Amino acid sequence: MPKRLTGSGIEKAACVGGGVIGAGWVSRLLLSGVDVAVFDPHPDAERIVAEVVANAERAYGMLTSAPLPKRGVLTFAKTLQEAVQDVEFIQESVPERLELKRGVLNQIDAFAPKDAIIGSSTSGLLPSDLQAEMKHPERLLAAHPYNPVYLLPLVELVPGKKTGKKQVGQASKIYEQIGMKAVVLNKEIEAFVGDRLLETLWREALWLIKDDICDVETLDDIMRYSFGLRWAQMGLFQTYRIAGGEAGMRHFLAQFGPCLYWPWSKLTDVPDLDDELVNKIADQSDAQAAGLSIRELERIRDENLVAILHGLKGSRGGEGWGAGKLLKEFEDRLWAQHKDEGVIKPAGAPLVTLETKVNPAWLDYNGHMTEFRYLHVFGDASDVFLRLIGITAETAAAGSSYYTVETHIRHLSETKVGTPLRVETQVLGAAGKKLHLFHRLLDANTGALQATAEHLLLHVSNGASALAPAHVAEKAAEFAAAHARLPLPEGAGRHVGQARA
């Protein structure tokens, strides 16, 4: 496997601060193949980071079957200087106190290579204030993520007065190439954009609880069963544009604009967080959690976010929408860098086309890998082979691809969660429009056969069956000729219900 994401431009990074946000950054960088040095003097830092990384790996197992790069090396530095002295990128995530952050950033500035980019995980401190005493302020900018950092892809980039345009561009590329959507704000402002919106909603929510309009669970239900779903895929303004009907946003503003003058919100009038209100909110929140631990809630959250991202990835006929489109592009890069990595060339042996493992989202009610996931895995293996012979996302977009017209899957073993899987592919035929593949799904540890799949594919050109391009046909024929010397795999040519020999 490749060491890191192709074109990421970084091999080594440092994370200063290993709390909830810092550990999320550690996870995203590690799973993108970047070596990460962590400095956090907290006595439980190593345990906390390890637990968050474990949750992140579980989430990525559900998120994508694309071949992730080899996980980066995680080290814990004894001093801040040790952590940052030999890296290309530093993410600072210490507590949100100006003097503390400024002092830490000044140390990073003194010890890190002068061309290393520094991102501060501040939720609203002005980057100009943070960089005021730095010797190299041009490489510092605010980089505000959202929790969990390893799944939610947005990062708000806010340059300070002394931040260089070149460094903003470098930072954008680093964040984008570890799977994030980097948005650069035009001006710095306290709390940036995301937190200003969240703070407004939060203040109104506190009043609704204080005034006993509803409890915390009811308020959360109102959000997650309604506008939360709309916001997840289309944001605020585009949602309201649709609400305006065919006349669009102007009609919406004309129709609902007068509401702005009605007493529907207390806005900046903030309730006093006295003991009574704190206890009310905390008690209702405890009841809502129903005994689930923070780590259990994190895993539930991750599963829900993965499901939403998968839904968005399948939108628009597979082109993806919003964060789902970003996920698709991330997976396309992973597959592109994977290419021939680990695949055996035509030398009289089946090809190892895929290595993955059974993640918790793949289970059925019996605790085994559910039926449609076998087709998912075999389909990914077929896609790997198609890339080997020259069928890529670019050729498919241009109209040249293969469609599967017939499939026969045999389920031979109960495949359980965590089982490492390997797919071996044998080419049974490649002539004219046709491509005949046979996949064997194995337990990568024991070699035990889990399932087989036989696929017949037809080449299509702009939606109609057609001969494959010459370079594709030649490559497929090369594999077919090499595999013709192999024994016919057991199960090839079987039909449903055929008696075993």
Side-chain angles (χ1 to χ4, degrees):
M1 280 188 175
K3 177 63 190 72
R4 56 190 171 92
L5 283 177
T6 300
S8 70
I10 57 170
E11 293 185 355
K12 295 181 179 180
C15 287
V16 179
V20 172
I21 296 300
W25 280 118
V26 172
S27 301
R28 184 175 276 276
L29 287 161
L30 284 177
L31 295 176
S32 296
V34 179
D35 293 344
V36 181
V38 179
F39 174 70
D40 189 325
H42 192 287
D44 291 329
E46 293 193 29
R47 174 187 61 80
I48 293 170
V49 169
E51 289 178 353
V52 174
V53 170
N55 273 357
E57 288 187 307
R58 177 180 182 273
Y60 273 47
M62 295 183 289
L63 184 65
T64 180
S65 59
L68 293 174
K70 181 181 178 182
R71 187 180 124 171
V73 176
L74 174 63
T75 57
F76 288 87
K78 295 180 180 179
T79 65
L80 187 148
Q81 180 176 0
E82 179 187 343
V84 306
Q85 64 185 354
D86 187 28
V87 299
E88 303 146 280
F89 169 69
I90 302 102
Q91 187 71 38
E92 169 270 311
S93 305
V94 304
E96 195 83 346
R97 298 195 296 275
L98 177 59
E99 291 308 316
L100 173 63
K101 277 187 175 287
R102 184 183 284 168
V104 169
L105 288 167
N106 288 342
Q107 291 183 65
I108 293 172
D109 187 41
F111 297 135
K114 64 180 182 180
D115 57 350
I117 298 296
I118 305 172
S120 175
S121 302
T122 175
S123 297
L125 296 176
L126 295 179
S128 291
D129 292 338
L130 296 174
Q131 66 188 184
E133 300 171 357
M134 294 174 63
K135 293 183 179 180
H136 302 285
E138 69 281 353
R139 37 89 168 266
L140 182 281
L141 72 170
H144 175 224
Y146 291 79
N147 187 42
V149 179
Y150 53 81
L151 276 182
L152 293 183
L154 187 91
V155 56
E156 288 180 284
L157 299 184
V158 189
K161 294 176 181 177
K162 298 179 181 180
T163 307
K165 290 185 178 180
K166 174 185 175 182
Q167 285 78 7
V168 173
Q170 290 174 324
S172 295
K173 289 181 180 178
I174 290 171
Y175 290 114
E176 288 169 358
Q177 290 163 354
I178 59 173
M180 305 196 80
K181 174 68 173 179
V183 296
V184 181
L185 302 193
N186 296 329
K187 299 178 182 179
E188 61 179 345
I189 183 173
E190 290 88 350
F192 315 139
V193 173
D195 276 355
R196 293 178 78 91
L197 296 173
L198 288 172
E199 182 68 15
T200 301
L201 182 64
W202 173 241
R203 292 178 185 215
E204 192 68 31
L206 290 176
W207 277 114
L208 292 168
I209 302 303
K210 178 177 175 60
D211 293 344
D212 290 319
I213 305 302
C214 63
D215 60 16
V216 297
E217 185 169 9
T218 300
L219 191 144
D220 282 351
D221 283 348
I222 289 170
M223 294 180 66
R224 66 189 178 128
Y225 290 117
S226 62
F227 57 82
L229 293 172
R230 296 189 310 203
W231 288 355
Q233 53 84 39
M234 204 165 274
L236 180 65
F237 280 92
Q238 199 163 49
T239 293
Y240 282 163
R241 176 184 178 84
I242 293 173
E246 293 183 357
M249 180 59 81
R250 285 183 176 80
H251 176 68
F252 175 84
L253 293 174
Q255 183 175 3
F256 294 100
C259 300
L260 296 174
Y261 301 98
W262 298 349
W264 279 10
S265 171
K266 297 188 179 183
L267 290 176
T268 58
D269 186 10
V270 185
D272 182 17
L273 280 174
D274 55 21
D275 289 345
E276 181 181 1
L277 182 54
V278 169
N279 289 334
K280 175 190 281 191
I281 294 172
D283 290 345
Q284 291 181 10
S285 180
D286 289 343
Q288 182 184 18
L292 293 171
S293 71
I294 291 298
R295 293 294 172 253
E296 289 171 320
L297 288 171
E298 286 175 344
R299 289 191 286 271
I300 292 168
R301 173 204 64 193
D302 290 354
E303 290 174 10
N304 295 338
L305 289 173
V306 164
I308 292 170
L309 288 167
H310 279 177
L312 293 173
K313 189 181 78 168
S315 180
R316 304 189 73 210
E319 291 183 22
W321 179 265
K325 186 173 186 294
L326 192 68
L327 172 59
K328 182 180 183 301
E329 292 168 351
F330 175 65
E331 289 185 318
D332 287 344
R333 289 202 304 274
L334 291 173
W335 282 117
Q337 76 170 18
H338 181 69
K339 289 187 176 178
D340 300 350
E341 299 284 346
V343 177
I344 302 172
K345 301 300 182 185
L351 307 173
V352 179
T353 46
L354 192 67
E355 291 180 337
T356 186
K357 66 179 178 181
V358 182
N359 71 64
W362 292 8
L363 303 185
D364 62 16
Y365 52 86
N366 290 317
H368 306 127
M369 185 163 149
T370 195
E371 184 174 329
F372 83 92
R373 290 294 181 181
Y374 288 89
L375 182 58
H376 173 175
V377 170
F378 288 129
D380 284 345
S382 291
D383 286 344
V384 170
F385 180 77
L386 293 181
R387 279 186 285 273
L388 284 175
I389 61 175
I391 298 295
T392 64
E394 290 74 21
T395 64
S400 175
S401 185
Y402 277 89
Y403 287 1
T404 304
V405 294
E406 191 170 345
T407 298
H408 182 209
I409 296 178
R410 296 187 303 155
H411 303 274
L412 304 175
S413 181
E414 294 178 339
T415 310
K416 300 179 180 180
V417 66
T419 302
L421 302 175
R422 181 176 75 250
V423 179
E424 295 181 354
T425 299
Q426 186 170 336
V427 183
L428 301 184
K433 307 173 185 178
K434 295 182 180 180
L435 182 62
H436 191 181
L437 303 179
F438 190 89
H439 302 298
R440 300 171 76 244
L441 180 66
L442 305 167
D443 182 321
N445 282 342
T446 66
L449 187 62
Q450 307 294 297
T452 67
E454 190 169 356
H455 290 171
L456 181 64
L457 302 92
L458 287 182
H459 182 267
V460 296
S461 179
N462 296 314
S465 62
L467 294 175
H471 71 282
V472 172
E474 290 172 5
K475 191 70 174 178
E478 180 184 354
F479 281 105
H483 289 183
R485 298 189 290 270
L486 298 173
L488 190 68
E490 190 277 325
R494 283 180 54 87
H495 59 76
V496 174
Q498 179 179 334
R500 291 176 180 266

